[in-house]
Amino acid sequence: MKNIKPIDTLSLVDKVEIRLLEFFKNNNLKPGDPIPKELEFSESLGVSRTVIREALLRLRTLGLVESKKHRGMVLTEPDIINNFARILDPTLLGTGILKNLFELRLILEMGMADFLFERKTQKDLDDLEEIVVKEEEQESDQSHFSLDKEISFHGKLYQISNNKTLQGFQQLLLPVFEYVHLKNTPQDFKHRYSSGHFVTHRMLMDNIKIGTPETFRNAMRHHLEPHFDSIFKEK
């Protein structure tokens, strides 16, 4: 309806939290910079110190502020991965969220190719070789996915990317990957591949050694094809 403004449902603490964040931005505060005391915020915003304290407590929980001895409250750089980890329990999340997080992991797997080729070292390739040889000794049948093999091999790929945030997400999303994987029956992974064959970890490893980011992306797409098909069939 026109000319009717939505009802403001934010609590006083919500509003103060927003104002504090605006203050940090408008004053170009950086991690390590001190912030005003509760009393100063209280007087400037015209609210009680109790409200200020609760808003600051929220920001402290997020890792945006912390108390320093002899310095008072200072702005800090939040640990994004840790904040996600606090709430990312697969047993507490709905199916829609789990599906989106699983898709995010597939997106990361497909998007890391250029970083792998730019940052790989001979030791990385040797480590991958060791992982692949060990898994081949344990199981000669590579016609379907094995969760343990996926964790070992793909975890090494994330490590090769040499991106700490990406590695953090990999660890963060691992329980989601396990949760979705274990919900499938063995029959779900007897997949008929469009290329006619399963792209193994050895094939992926060889691609990293002598291929290109583009050929690796194509190989990884075939490797993960059962997961992509399973998701797209849910439309």
Side-chain angles (χ1 to χ4, degrees):
M1 296 175 63
K2 294 182 178 180
N3 302 323
I4 297 182
K5 294 182 178 180
I7 296 175
D8 188 351
T9 58
L10 294 177
S11 69
L12 188 56
V13 176
D14 291 331
K15 294 176 181 178
V16 168
E17 182 182 351
I18 292 172
R19 293 292 180 271
L20 293 180
L21 291 172
E22 290 176 346
F23 175 84
F24 300 155
K25 295 175 185 176
N26 294 338
N27 288 273
N28 296 315
L29 296 184
K30 305 298 181 186
D33 289 345
I35 66 174
K37 300 182 184 302
E38 288 180 6
L39 181 59
E40 295 178 69
F41 279 131
S42 176
E43 293 175 346
S44 296
L45 294 173
V47 298
S48 70
R49 292 182 64 179
T50 301
V51 173
I52 298 295
R53 190 173 299 118
E54 186 173 343
L56 286 172
L57 180 59
R58 290 185 182 182
L59 299 182
R60 180 183 293 180
T61 301
L62 293 173
L64 285 168
V65 298
E66 66 178 357
S67 296
K68 289 286 188 179
K69 193 173 182 179
H70 305 308
R71 293 191 62 195
M73 198 78 76
V74 301
L75 197 67
T76 55
E77 188 171 61
D79 186 335
I80 299 173
I81 300 300
N82 184 55
N83 284 335
F84 270 111
R86 294 179 181 180
I87 60 172
L88 207 58
D89 183 339
T91 62
L92 301 177
L93 299 176
T95 303
I97 295 294
L98 286 171
K99 180 175 179 290
N100 276 282
L101 289 171
F102 186 71
E103 289 178 6
L104 174 60
R105 184 179 176 99
L106 296 180
I107 292 168
L108 295 177
E109 299 274 350
M110 294 297 299
M112 68 171 72
D114 291 279
F115 293 93
L116 296 181
F117 278 81
E118 181 67 26
R119 296 172 176 173
K120 65 183 178 181
T121 65
Q122 186 56 50
K123 183 177 186 308
D124 290 326
L125 298 178
D126 292 342
D127 289 344
L128 278 179
E129 180 77 39
E130 183 177 342
I131 290 171
V132 169
V133 169
K134 188 175 296 185
E135 83 174 35
E136 289 175 344
E137 290 174 349
Q138 294 174 348
E139 183 179 354
S140 59
D141 177 15
Q142 295 183 321
S143 61
H144 59 81
F145 279 87
S146 167
L147 184 58
D148 290 341
K149 292 190 297 183
E150 290 294 290
I151 291 173
S152 179
F153 183 86
H154 290 260
K156 181 60 185 180
L157 296 184
Y158 280 82
Q159 184 182 338
I160 294 173
S161 76
N162 199 28
N163 182 290
K164 300 301 180 184
T165 301
L166 184 62
Q167 292 177 50
F169 267 113
Q170 191 265 343
Q171 291 298 317
L172 192 64
L173 296 176
L174 189 57
V176 177
F177 195 88
E178 292 175 343
Y179 180 84
V180 175
H181 185 99
L182 293 175
K183 281 174 66 68
N184 290 288
T185 64
Q187 287 72 27
D188 293 325
F189 291 97
K190 291 182 178 179
H191 180 78
R192 179 172 294 180
Y193 289 85
S194 59
S195 62
H197 62 84
F198 173 56
V199 174
T200 66
H201 286 160
R202 175 165 291 282
M203 293 175 186
L204 289 174
M205 178 189 67
D206 290 341
N207 210 298
I208 294 177
K209 289 181 178 179
I210 62 175
T212 67
E214 188 58 35
T215 61
F216 179 81
R217 268 189 289 270
N218 290 333
M220 180 62 80
R221 180 60 176 79
H222 286 297
H223 180 71
L224 298 173
E225 187 175 290
H227 297 306
F228 279 100
D229 284 0
S230 175
I231 289 171
F232 296 151
K233 285 177 182 177
E234 293 178 6
K235 290 182 178 180

